[in-house]
Amino acid sequence: MSTQVRPQIEVPAQLKPADGRFGCGPAKVRPKAVEQLQRQAATFLGTSHRQSRVRAVVGGVRSGLSRLFQLPDGYEVLLGNGGSTCFWDCATFSLIERKSQHLSFGEFSAKFAAAAEAAPHLTEPEVIVSPPGTHPDAIARADVDVYALTHNETSTGVAMPIQRPAGAEGLVVVDGTSAAGGLRVDPGQFDVYYFSPQKCFASDGGLWLAACSPAAVERIEEIRRSGRWTPAFLDLGLALDNSRLEQTYNTPALATLFLLAEQVSWLNENGGLEWAAGRCDESARVLYGWAERTEWTQPYVKRQEDRSHVVATIDLDPGIDAVRVSQMLRLNGIVDTEAYRKLGRNQLRIALFPAIEPADVEALTACIKYVAERLQA
Ligand SMILES: *Cc1c(COP(=O)(O)O)cnc(C)c1O
């Protein structure tokens, strides 16, 4: 016997978004991409990643990303298994020569700083911290060879523009995990822009991708020549060799690659990064505008220019329990609006990634209102 849970508050069907997925990763995968995977499954899934069928998809991802980010000549897209979390460890071995500087303003940016702090072959990094809901700025230093920036801090909903610190000579290495494909970025301002496919790229997790400048490629080669001991799995030199052959060092998830390739094509065909960012701007305008107009909500991030257009954090008045709002939405098929747990705020966190329809964000605001007003009653 199936025990179906009936929500205590039933949101009317006409208020609901067409798609109820608002999580920040794994995030909404477009049904059309899944259909395409289904259609091609018999000749793709379960075939060798060393053969042309899969390598063509990897090649399409690499060239499609070069086009999406309008990478200048000499930039290369690298990929490997393990996601952005793994890339932090790769960077401690293959990108940081001696000393890094980290801007730490939330869970994710703090983790890379911790990885660099723990690495015995590196000098103590400089970590510049700012309170949650804000971001610090990088400061050029003569002894820093990697500046570790985060384009969008997914735990707090703060975005920052990517710019080389004035006068800096080190590499600018940017965590673009939740920003890439949704926020504008100038490749002249970074040396490495790395991310995973389960956020704006509407695929599954488990992979990392990194757009690398010629200076970054040179650093990888230099460290390789230096003879520093590096676990093969974390060696960006090996990732470079394999990426140039449209492969990964070890076996990748083929469905992840396929869905990523579909999303990159979809973004490029619709008008590229400018189109995608414009769509996220529209969703952000809808959601933050609603939160400012509504009496019992407000955007968590105080400075308007710091508010992310890919991950929005909305505080609720203490009288309305955000956990219950998210739970009630979930029972109605609207999922993953919960705040980042460790931030510990009475808050909703909502993805505004390009795969999410701005009209669905609008519908979501009506659903939040419907649920919150009835929870108060
Ligand atoms: C999601 C996320 C990560 C972690 O990505 P994984 O693929 O889970 O390793 C790192 N940084 C940021 C900014 C993220 O949003």
Side-chain angles (χ1 to χ4, degrees), residues 173-190:
V173 175
V174 182
D175 181 348
T177 308
S178 56
L183 298 184
R184 293 166 187 86
V185 70
D186 170 3
Q189 300 294 330
F190 64 71

Side-chain angles (χ1 to χ4, degrees), residues 272-349:
L273 192 57
E274 186 51 44
W275 174 79
R279 212 166 134 87
C280 298
D281 291 344
E282 170 62 9
S283 292
R285 191 187 59 75
V286 167
L287 187 60
Y288 290 125
W290 169 78
E292 279 177 332
R293 283 193 310 276
T294 304
E295 233 173 79
W296 42 271
T297 58
Q298 54 187 356
Y300 162 58
V301 177
K302 292 286 167 290
R303 270 166 41 117
Q304 195 155 353
E305 59 270 40
D306 294 347
R307 285 178 197 158
S308 168
H309 287 193
V310 280
V311 172
T313 43
I314 305 296
D315 279 347
L316 305 189
D317 278 0
I320 305 164
D321 182 357
V323 171
R324 293 204 62 206
V325 172
S326 289
Q327 275 171 352
M328 209 48 71
L329 288 170
R330 183 175 291 282
L331 290 173
N332 280 279
I334 298 161
V335 302
D336 301 338
T337 61
E338 287 84 0
Y340 197 80
R341 194 172 34 85
K342 286 190 202 155
L343 195 58
R345 293 191 67 93
N346 191 44
Q347 179 175 97
L348 303 176
R349 185 178 62 150

Side-chain angles (χ1 to χ4, degrees), residues 105-128:
F105 55 110
E107 269 306 295
F108 293 103
S109 46
K111 276 189 180 156
F112 185 16
E117 265 166 7
H121 56 281
L122 302 175
T123 302
E124 188 76 9
E126 180 182 12
V127 183
I128 307 177

Side-chain angles (χ1 to χ4, degrees), residues 24 82-86 88 108-109 150 152-155 175-178 194 196-199 205-207:
C24 294
S84 290
T85 301
C86 181
W88 292 325
F108 293 103
S109 46
T150 301
N152 186 72
E153 190 26 276
T154 319
S155 63
D175 181 348
T177 308
S178 56
Y194 62 92
S196 303
Q198 75 275 20
K199 306 201 179 182
L207 203 66

Side-chain angles (χ1 to χ4, degrees), residues 113 143 234:
D143 62 344
L234 305 176

Side-chain angles (χ1 to χ4, degrees), residues 153-233:
E153 190 26 276
T154 319
S155 63
T156 62
V158 170
M160 63 178 287
I162 295 307
Q163 272 173 332
R164 289 185 188 278
E169 283 185 7
L171 299 178
V172 173
V173 175
V174 182
D175 181 348
T177 308
S178 56
L183 298 184
R184 293 166 187 86
V185 70
D186 170 3
Q189 300 294 330
F190 64 71
D191 292 294
V192 180
Y193 193 65
Y194 62 92
F195 49 91
S196 303
Q198 75 275 20
K199 306 201 179 182
C200 292
F201 289 105
S203 179
D204 234 330
L207 203 66
W208 60 257
L209 296 112
C212 296
S213 73
V217 171
E218 180 52 35
R219 176 71 61 83
I220 291 166
E221 297 284 21
E222 256 172 44
I223 293 180
R224 167 147 72 174
R225 280 194 300 272
S226 77
R228 173 188 284 172
W229 174 76
T230 301
F233 192 69

